[in-house]
Amino acid sequence: MKEKVLINGIGRIGKSILIQLLQKKEYEIVIINEINPYIENIVYSINYDSTYGSLEDKFKVVEESFIQNTQTKIKITNHSSLFDLDLSDIDIIVDSSGVKTNIEKLRNLPVKAIFLTHPNIQADINLILGANENELDKQKHKIISTSSCNATALLPALKIIDKEKKIICGDIVTIHPLLNHQRVLDGHFVGSSTRDVEYNFEFGRSSTQNIIPNKTTTIKACSFVDSKFNHELISSNSLRVPTDTVGAINVTLFVEKSCIKDEIIEIFNEYEKNQKFDILLNNYDPLVSSDFKKEQKTTIIDHRYTDVKNGKMIKLLVWYDNEWGYASKVTDIMKYYSNN
């Protein structure tokens, strides 16, 4: 019997998770809870997407509070809090709202597991496939953070290099597509204390006309998964760019053990051949960001730019689809949990 799922929040990530769960047919989606009170608009936003295209099997509104296509029928609710929902028929919650919630109260909800699609140090475990999945214990871990899109892309690569060459220190720059909380045109500054969006003047500037520098929580999120990979080891910042999806990370690592470029490439080639999950992809083709759109592998090493200097400095360029790709790892983690 399929486990029954509630998705809380049907924004960019929630919608990608919904569609991939429906495609994989391994869970029953019972409820979508979304604060948008207009069910017709919810259906419209699920059916049509400027980035990933339209659904072939489109939903329609039925019986006022349900949406249905040829595959499934899903109840729509509009509660601002998970604690107001009837969860008697739910096994798993996917909280893709991005809103911080009281973790202790979440633990009391009558479900098997709650997956948070953002880093949270108070979660029972912050989990990234290819980094710490072996630590998952269903008896102890009810609230599972699936980390962030950036950390999901970066940390497996860091672990691979550290295992073989031992990282001394490093720096990363994330090149991240724009997000919905940014301004289309210049306006007042943007921030949110409930969504880990730092208040700064730069985010009040037009997201479509600028490359916007900003801090990034990528390394902080990595440290929640593996404490070794923290800001004492690796510095970081971010550039927000006017594209819709697919990010990149420019990685510089100084290592203890000497190496050459071909050796580093071979290390990643071997990992790809033997990997347990669909995580890493080695690229050698002359591709650009849109070529990786809807790619489910989330650590894409572009070896056109892999390099080693003086035997101790490694350069990497890592691509990842920050919406569809990240959502695929959320669904993979759910499956790993259910099958563990």
Side-chain angles (χ1 to χ4, degrees):
M1 187 175 179
K2 293 180 181 178
E3 290 178 303
K4 297 180 179 180
V5 174
L6 179 150
I7 299 177
N8 185 46
I10 200 74
R12 300 301 305 164
I13 299 301
K15 181 164 69 169
S16 292
I17 291 170
L18 167 68
I19 294 170
Q20 292 185 50
L21 288 177
L22 292 174
Q23 289 174 344
K24 295 176 181 178
K25 300 180 180 180
E26 293 168 336
Y27 295 90
E28 181 182 352
I29 314 302
V30 177
I31 299 174
I32 293 172
N33 184 58
E34 166 58 46
I35 59 173
N36 177 0
Y38 301 102
I39 191 169
E40 294 282 358
N41 186 234
I42 293 172
V43 165
Y44 176 80
S45 68
I46 293 171
N47 286 340
Y48 301 99
D49 193 272
S50 300
T51 300
Y52 298 112
S54 304
L55 285 186
E56 290 186 12
D57 187 9
K58 292 182 173 58
F59 284 91
K60 61 181 180 181
V61 178
V62 295
E63 302 170 22
E64 295 188 0
S65 61
F66 289 84
I67 64 172
Q68 185 173 24
N69 64 4
T70 61
Q71 181 182 345
T72 190
K73 182 179 178 182
I74 305 171
K75 182 175 178 62
I76 302 296
T77 59
N78 306 116
H79 296 286
S80 60
S81 171
L82 284 170
F83 309 113
D84 297 329
L85 286 157
D86 178 6
L87 302 173
S88 57
D89 199 32
I90 300 299
D91 298 305
I92 292 172
I93 294 173
V94 178
D95 185 3
S96 49
S97 67
V99 177
K100 291 180 181 178
T101 308
N102 185 302
I103 296 297
E104 292 306 318
K105 289 180 69 176
L106 280 182
R107 285 200 179 91
N108 295 324
L109 292 178
V111 296
K112 293 179 183 177
I114 302 168
F115 294 89
L116 309 176
T117 65
H118 59 270
N120 193 312
I121 190 63
Q122 294 180 321
D124 296 328
I125 186 171
N126 283 249
L127 196 151
I128 292 176
L129 297 178
N132 69 329
E133 68 274 359
N134 291 335
E135 296 175 11
L136 179 64
D137 184 340
K138 290 174 73 170
Q139 301 304 314
K140 297 192 299 184
H141 300 147
K142 177 177 180 176
I143 302 174
I144 301 160
S145 163
T146 57
S147 194
S148 71
C149 58
N150 302 324
T152 296
L154 177 65
L155 189 53
L158 295 182
K159 297 272 286 188
I160 291 166
I161 295 295
D162 188 62
K163 179 182 177 182
E164 299 293 335
K165 297 298 172 183
K166 194 174 181 183
I167 298 170
I168 298 172
C169 63
D171 178 77
I172 63 136
V173 180
T174 65
I175 299 95
H176 199 292
L178 53 81
L179 296 174
N180 267 333
H181 63 254
Q182 292 182 253
R183 301 292 183 196
V184 177
L185 299 173
D186 282 6
H188 61 78
F189 65 93
V190 177
S192 173
S193 59
T194 62
R195 297 176 63 92
D196 273 337
V197 179
E198 185 174 328
Y199 289 86
N200 60 52
F201 290 174
E202 299 97 309
F203 269 8
R205 302 296 296 277
S206 169
S207 61
T208 60
Q209 299 177 66
N210 295 291
I211 297 173
I212 301 175
N214 190 38
K215 297 177 183 178
T216 176
T217 59
T218 303
I219 298 301
K220 182 179 180 181
C222 288
S223 74
F224 293 171
V225 177
D226 188 329
S227 60
K228 175 178 182 176
F229 299 95
N230 55 47
H231 273 293
E232 295 298 315
L233 186 74
I234 299 173
S235 58
S236 64
N237 68 291
S238 176
L239 298 173
R240 197 66 62 84
V241 297
T243 56
D244 58 349
T245 193
V246 180
I249 309 176
N250 187 10
V251 183
T252 305
L253 301 172
F254 292 88
V255 295
E256 184 176 293
K257 300 177 183 178
S258 294
C259 56
I260 59 173
K261 175 181 173 180
D262 289 346
E263 182 185 5
I264 297 302
I265 292 173
E266 183 57 27
I267 288 169
F268 283 114
N269 282 337
E270 282 300 309
Y271 185 92
E272 182 181 9
K273 289 176 189 175
N274 300 302
Q275 62 187 339
K276 183 179 179 180
F277 304 98
D278 283 336
I279 297 168
L280 189 136
L281 175 66
N282 293 293
N283 176 68
Y284 302 89
D285 295 328
L287 303 183
V288 296
S289 61
S290 61
D291 295 316
F292 300 110
K293 192 177 291 186
K294 237 177 182 182
E295 173 57 61
Q296 296 198 8
K297 292 184 176 69
T298 43
T299 304
I300 306 166
I301 312 295
D302 196 331
H303 289 301
R304 295 173 297 167
Y305 305 105
T306 299
D307 204 359
V308 174
K309 297 298 182 187
N310 293 326
K312 296 292 183 76
M313 189 187 86
I314 300 171
K315 287 292 296 182
L316 301 173
L317 180 64
V318 182
W319 297 98
Y320 59 104
D321 185 322
N322 55 291
E323 293 182 358
W324 191 266
Y326 171 67
S328 79
K329 291 298 151 284
V330 176
T331 62
D332 286 348
I333 289 171
M334 291 173 64
K335 181 178 179 181
Y336 180 73
Y337 171 88
S338 295
N339 295 339
N340 192 307

